Amino acid sequence: METFQKNCIGSQKRGVRSRVELIPPIETRLKCLFYLHLTLSSLLCSRVCRVYRFQTNDQRWLLVREQMSETPLSFSLPKKLIRMLIHELTNRSQEVKELGDLSPHWDELRLDVLDHCNDLLRCYQETLIELDKLSASSCFKSSTSKSEQHLQFIPTNLHTQRMEVTGPDGVWYDVITFGAPADHHQAFKHGGLRRLLCKHTKHQDSFVSYSRDESFRARELLDSLAQLQPLIFGLAEELLSISLEMSPARLKQILDSLVYQTEQFVHAVKDELVRSARQEIHNHCNIRQLHANGFLCDNMPTNQNGLQYSKEEEEYDEEEWDRAWANVTKSINCIVVMVDRLQGKEARLRGDISPNQQEAARERDADCLTTSSTSWQEQLLPLVVTLRDCVREAVEKARASMTFVVLQEAVAASVGQGPANVLQRRHAVFSQALSAVVCGFMLKLQAGLEDPEFLQQLHKVGVLAQFEGLLSTYGEEIGMLEDMEVGVADLRKVRFNLVEAKTEQVDDLLPTLSGTWNGVVINVPLPSESFASLPSELKDGCLIPICPVLFNIGINQQQSFAERFGDSSLQEKVNQQNCECLKTYCQTLQQALPDMAGIQSVPDMLLSLDRSLEAKKRKNVEVLWNAAMVCRKVNGIRLTSCKSAKDRTGMSVTLEQCVLLRERHALSQQHFGRALDTMRRWSTLLPTHFAPKAPRRHFYPVAFLLVTSHLLVLWLILSLVILLSKYQ
């Protein structure tokens, strides 16, 4: 066995597997290789390589190249996420401010939202300023910096670990390694995100969940009401003014405009969201408190005794809202009928209609025209006043409902997710997990651009991301696992969108972010040649979902303490829940692509995973291995984490690499142990200062040895014997 070591930093040909095949069209393949090299160059930096030669079962030599790289995504993607969050928080703050005058109850809620947003905005803006001060070439956060506040959003020790087995059918095996996504700055005195969010769920019952789409519709309706109400009132006043002139043509023109705007108003307020919001107000709010705070008292109608009343004080009436907007329709119809009658009377006075029509008009006018001397304005005035009252009542009810929707969505999106420090922690943990999974997706995409089956899998099912955790369930690492669980689960809201790169510059080949916190879209740019080869669905903007799963097995000495004296139920629960998610993804994939290569063996692999979970063995690493096998079989992204992505992560990855060489490339069993020792000694993931070292001899003072109970008793006995002999 021979081992070769070489540094490949700065090489322009690093990481590109060039293989010329004498098949047409060779120009197209060379272009694809060039663009692959171009994309990888923008994604990977500071590469370090090792080359190994191992013996196979048939006495041949297996040439293996191991490459570890940093990535600029470590800093660039979190900064883009922070900018997106700042933009979203600014918009939310502005939307809540623009709700206008509110009752004391709702104004108090608005102030809570604004304070929450302002706290996060101030913190994120300061973080972004500190990150912008760093060198543009910064692409790595060491484990010694994991507790620094301005680096909360940056993943720790993020690396791409790639192993290439060269040969006629050379293949790459990729693993993303990084420190477990967790907020080390806020530490874990009160637990991780899972525990903190559970404590806060009891406060969420008072909030009604509305989607961003519903909130957007509510804001649109509020804008429409703000425009239509003064427009209707203005046209009604103009109608009264024109009625003094008794000009039928002009009156008809104004009336047509009034009818059109009123129809637009009724169409707007008939939205089903208004009805459902009024029901939620009745169900979730203390009506008497709202009444006392003035939310339901402003401009309320009065009863015969002159006292304000509200139907909300009684049993909720589902038809009340229908009557409100229906009264607007009836009022405008009455005005139309009155104008027709007035114009008909004027025509009779001029003799413009036949005797039969005059007689019919006299009968219609008898109910509403008292004397011939009454002016048109006097007869239209009560109808216009009624129309304004009905519009005002409908506007107040609709505005109250839509204000409720906008505020509830804002409260749920900010205050409803916990205090500012908890939401900030969640954003930071999500940012770390997102940077790692985006890096893994881009590597997986570049490797599968020429695989039509993989591209079909992307737009039909999405991509699997399997997180392998090596955290113990003891001490601080429980909080890290709680953080990691929530951060991985939040990745379900992420979607990938493949776009054509503007240019072939490095910056234009890095992904960008769009959307909101509840729906993050990662825009992955591809060079023109690569983008043109995609299926039409992906080129047309089909979003690619991600299925993140987390399997954790503690493997260090602290886990031994946890299993003997502590509690490992969190690990068992996380593994079981994510196993179900993995099964669901595999079943969907089998249904969408039943002829996919190797898909038939997945059920047996899942069965093995189930058995390993049921075994309840201590430090059962079979769970991790079975999950990794399923992940590779379905073209998933592999990610491995421990506390800082150093010792435990390095040991796990090197073991996985050697097992892959043995299972898939006939690495000789008798050389397996030597290969593992060699890769662990020279591995790129275990630099010299982390590589195994010769054991040191430790000389402890006698006083330290006497601390142990047995030696202490022996020392006391010997001391007593010496004292007795001295006095004798």
Side-chain angles (χ1 to χ4, degrees):
M1 181 186 303
E2 297 181 10
T3 303
F4 302 93
Q5 173 182 358
K6 61 180 180 179
N7 293 327
C8 298
I9 302 176
S11 173
Q12 296 299 319
K13 298 181 180 180
R14 296 171 300 187
V16 179
R17 175 164 47 89
S18 302
R19 186 175 77 252
V20 179
E21 298 179 1
L22 299 178
I23 56 174
I26 191 171
E27 295 83 357
T28 302
R29 182 161 182 82
L30 289 175
K31 285 183 179 180
C32 290
L33 288 175
F34 170 73
Y35 288 122
L36 173 62
H37 167 67
L38 189 66
T39 306
L40 290 178
S41 297
S42 65
L43 181 63
L44 308 177
C45 61
S46 301
R47 309 180 198 185
V48 178
C49 294
R50 305 283 191 270
V51 178
Y52 308 96
R53 192 173 69 165
F54 303 126
Q55 198 167 10
T56 63
N57 289 325
D58 55 1
Q59 304 303 313
R60 295 184 180 181
W61 289 103
L62 190 65
L63 191 63
V64 178
R65 185 159 72 101
E66 187 183 27
Q67 174 184 293
M68 182 185 72
S69 308
E70 298 171 6
T71 173
L73 296 181
S74 293
F75 277 76
S76 67
L77 206 64
K79 288 166 68 174
K80 292 173 183 176
L81 176 64
I82 294 174
R83 290 190 179 96
M84 187 196 78
L85 292 173
I86 289 175
H87 179 71
E88 181 179 357
L89 290 168
T90 303
N91 288 342
R92 182 181 302 143
S93 178
Q94 188 64 29
E95 290 165 359
V96 173
K97 287 179 181 178
E98 292 176 352
L99 290 176
D101 295 333
L102 299 177
S103 67
H105 172 73
W106 297 110
D107 197 50
E108 183 179 352
L109 276 181
R110 172 164 59 183
L111 291 177
D112 290 341
V113 173
L114 292 177
D115 291 342
H116 196 276
C117 290
N118 291 335
D119 289 343
L120 290 174
L121 277 172
R122 181 172 59 255
C123 179
Y124 291 173
Q125 288 167 350
E126 292 175 356
T127 300
L128 192 59
I129 291 173
E130 292 298 322
L131 291 178
D132 287 336
K133 290 179 181 178
L134 299 177
S135 172
S137 60
S138 298
C139 59
F140 178 72
K141 170 188 169 183
S142 65
S143 59
T144 57
S145 304
K146 61 178 176 285
S147 299
E148 295 186 18
Q149 182 176 3
H150 69 283
L151 296 178
Q152 277 179 295
F153 285 73
I154 311 300
T156 303
N157 261 346
L158 176 58
H159 288 101
T160 63
Q161 183 73 11
R162 314 190 73 201
M163 181 180 72
E164 181 189 20
V165 182
T166 59
D169 298 319
V171 61
W172 286 92
Y173 297 100
D174 297 333
V175 180
I176 307 299
T177 63
F178 70 119
D183 191 350
H184 293 271
H185 171 69
Q186 294 192 36
F188 311 97
K189 181 179 180 181
H190 302 289
L193 276 172
R194 179 189 178 96
R195 205 180 316 172
L196 293 172
L197 292 175
C198 287
K199 291 179 181 177
H200 188 68
T201 52
K202 62 183 180 181
H203 303 294
Q204 295 179 350
D205 296 337
S206 59
F207 304 136
V208 183
S209 177
Y210 287 102
S211 66
R212 291 291 296 173
D213 291 339
E214 290 174 324
S215 180
F216 180 74
R217 281 167 50 203
R219 289 191 295 273
E220 282 188 329
L221 182 55
L222 287 172
D223 292 340
S224 298
L225 296 179
Q227 295 175 5
L228 290 173
Q229 181 182 7
L231 191 58
I232 291 174
F233 284 6
L235 289 171
E237 290 296 331
E238 190 173 359
L239 184 70
L240 291 176
S241 300
I242 296 299
S243 63
L244 290 174
E245 303 175 5
M246 301 183 68
S247 172
R250 180 63 177 154
L251 192 66
K252 179 66 171 155
Q253 181 182 0
I254 299 301
L255 180 62
D256 289 343
S257 298
L258 179 61
V259 170
Y260 175 76
Q261 297 299 337
T262 306
E263 289 175 350
Q264 295 297 312
F265 173 82
V266 173
H267 177 73
V269 299
K270 283 174 64 177
D271 196 301
E272 184 63 27
L273 182 60
V274 180
R275 184 195 305 276
S276 64
R278 291 188 62 78
Q279 178 69 56
E280 293 294 346
I281 291 175
H282 179 81
N283 292 340
H284 291 81
C285 296
N286 187 332
I287 303 301
R288 294 186 180 277
Q289 180 182 359
L290 297 180
H291 187 82
N293 286 332
F295 181 65
L296 299 175
C297 296
D298 297 338
N299 299 315
M300 278 188 177
T302 57
N303 57 20
Q304 294 179 352
N305 297 325
L307 300 175
Q308 289 186 331
Y309 69 93
S310 169
K311 290 187 180 295
E312 281 84 355
E313 293 176 341
E314 304 170 0
E315 185 178 353
Y316 180 74
D317 187 356
E318 293 184 358
E319 298 181 356
E320 179 196 6
W321 172 239
D322 292 333
R323 290 194 294 270
W325 60 260
N327 287 339
V328 177
T329 302
K330 292 177 182 178
S331 299
I332 191 64
N333 288 337
C334 289
I335 293 176
V336 171
V337 171
M338 177 60 70
V339 171
D340 288 342
R341 290 175 178 176
L342 293 175
Q343 290 179 338
K345 179 180 178 181
E346 182 67 19
R348 288 198 311 276
L349 294 175
R350 296 196 309 267
D352 294 339
I353 59 178
S354 64
N356 293 336
Q357 292 175 331
Q358 290 181 12
E359 184 63 26
R362 289 191 189 96
E363 293 177 0
R364 290 196 307 269
D365 295 344
D367 297 333
C368 62
L369 299 178
T370 55
T371 61
S372 59
S373 61
T374 304
S375 68
W376 288 13
Q377 187 184 64
E378 291 175 349
Q379 298 183 54
L380 287 174
L381 179 60
L383 299 179
V384 169
V385 170
T386 302
L387 174 65
R388 286 191 300 220
D389 290 342
C390 292
V391 169
R392 188 179 294 110
E393 180 184 4
V395 166
E396 290 169 0
K397 293 180 181 296
R399 181 181 291 130
S401 300
M402 295 303 95
T403 299
F404 176 81
V405 173
V406 174
L407 268 180
Q408 289 296 309
E409 192 275 334
V411 169
S414 53
V415 181
Q417 295 192 40
N421 63 326
V422 175
L423 186 55
Q424 179 185 348
R425 186 188 195 106
R426 191 171 187 176
H427 288 164
V429 172
F430 172 77
S431 174
Q432 297 175 32
L434 181 68
S435 301
V437 81
V438 170
C439 181
F441 175 79
M442 294 185 69
L443 284 177
K444 183 64 65 175
L445 178 65
Q446 296 304 322
L449 280 175
E450 298 182 8
D451 184 357
E453 197 172 62
F454 173 69
L455 297 177
Q456 289 292 320
Q457 176 184 350
L458 287 183
H459 79 82
K460 288 186 177 181
V461 186
V463 64
L464 176 74
Q466 186 243 327
F467 288 80
E468 176 183 293
L470 304 171
L471 298 169
S472 69
T473 55
Y474 184 86
E476 284 191 344
E477 293 195 10
I478 297 180
M480 298 177 201
L481 181 57
E482 290 176 347
D483 273 3
M484 186 175 184
E485 181 197 2
V486 176
V488 170
D490 281 341
L491 290 173
R492 297 190 181 105
K493 67 184 71 172
V494 175
R495 297 291 184 272
F496 290 99
N497 179 34
L498 305 184
V499 298
E500 186 175 2
K502 297 178 181 178
T503 67
E504 296 175 2
Q505 300 296 322
V506 172
D507 291 341
D508 290 330
L509 292 175
L510 292 177
T512 59
L513 275 70
S514 59
T516 63
W517 164 246
N518 290 319
V520 180
V521 178
I522 310 296
N523 302 299
V524 180
L526 292 174
S528 300
E529 294 286 340
S530 300
F531 185 79
S533 64
L534 295 176
S536 58
E537 295 87 352
L538 295 177
K539 287 193 290 187
D540 293 340
C542 174
L543 297 181
I544 302 170
I546 179 174
C547 177
V549 293
L550 167 64
F551 292 90
N552 184 84
I553 296 293
I555 62 173
N556 63 353
Q557 187 177 6
Q558 287 185 331
Q559 185 61 28
S560 301
F561 295 152
E563 291 173 348
R564 289 182 180 273
F565 311 111
D567 182 14
S568 59
S569 60
L570 174 60
Q571 175 177 280
E572 295 172 2
K573 185 180 296 185
V574 167
N575 291 341
Q576 195 61 50
Q577 290 175 348
N578 285 272
C579 182
E580 296 302 321
C581 294
L582 180 59
K583 289 179 182 178
T584 302
Y585 175 86
C586 292
Q587 290 171 0
T588 306
L589 182 60
Q590 284 181 297
Q591 294 172 0
L593 298 172
D595 299 327
M596 179 178 172
I599 196 67
Q600 293 77 14
S601 62
V602 171
D604 293 335
M605 294 180 178
L606 291 173
L607 185 59
S608 298
L609 178 60
D610 269 335
R611 290 172 179 169
S612 61
L613 287 173
E614 294 172 358
K616 305 294 183 182
K617 291 167 55 178
R618 293 180 178 177
K619 299 184 180 180
N620 189 3
V621 294
E622 292 180 5
V623 172
L624 301 180
W625 176 243
N626 289 328
M629 288 178 61
V630 176
C631 177
R632 293 198 183 278
K633 183 62 69 173
V634 298
N635 301 317
I637 305 168
R638 286 272 296 113
L639 305 102
T640 301
S641 297
C642 64
K643 179 179 179 179
S644 300
K646 293 189 294 189
D647 296 351
R648 280 173 279 176
T649 298
M651 303 288 274
S652 174
V653 171
T654 50
L655 176 61
E656 179 181 356
Q657 290 177 164
C658 287
V659 172
L660 286 171
L661 293 176
R662 183 185 63 189
E663 301 293 333
R664 301 190 180 186
H665 300 281
L667 174 66
S668 174
Q669 180 63 36
Q670 62 181 351
H671 291 97
F672 179 85
R674 293 177 61 190
L676 182 59
D677 291 341
T678 301
M679 295 191 76
R680 285 181 171 174
R681 180 172 295 275
W682 298 105
S683 173
T684 56
L685 200 60
L686 290 170
T688 305
H689 54 288
F690 293 131
K693 298 180 181 180
R696 297 179 179 177
R697 294 183 179 271
H698 298 281
F699 298 95
Y700 298 99
V702 176
F704 290 158
L705 295 177
L706 294 178
V707 173
T708 62
S709 59
H710 293 84
L711 291 178
L712 182 59
V713 172
L714 181 60
W715 178 78
L716 290 173
I717 294 174
L718 291 175
S719 300
L720 183 60
V721 170
I722 293 172
L723 287 173
L724 290 174
S725 62
K726 183 182 296 185
Y727 285 107
Q728 287 178 354

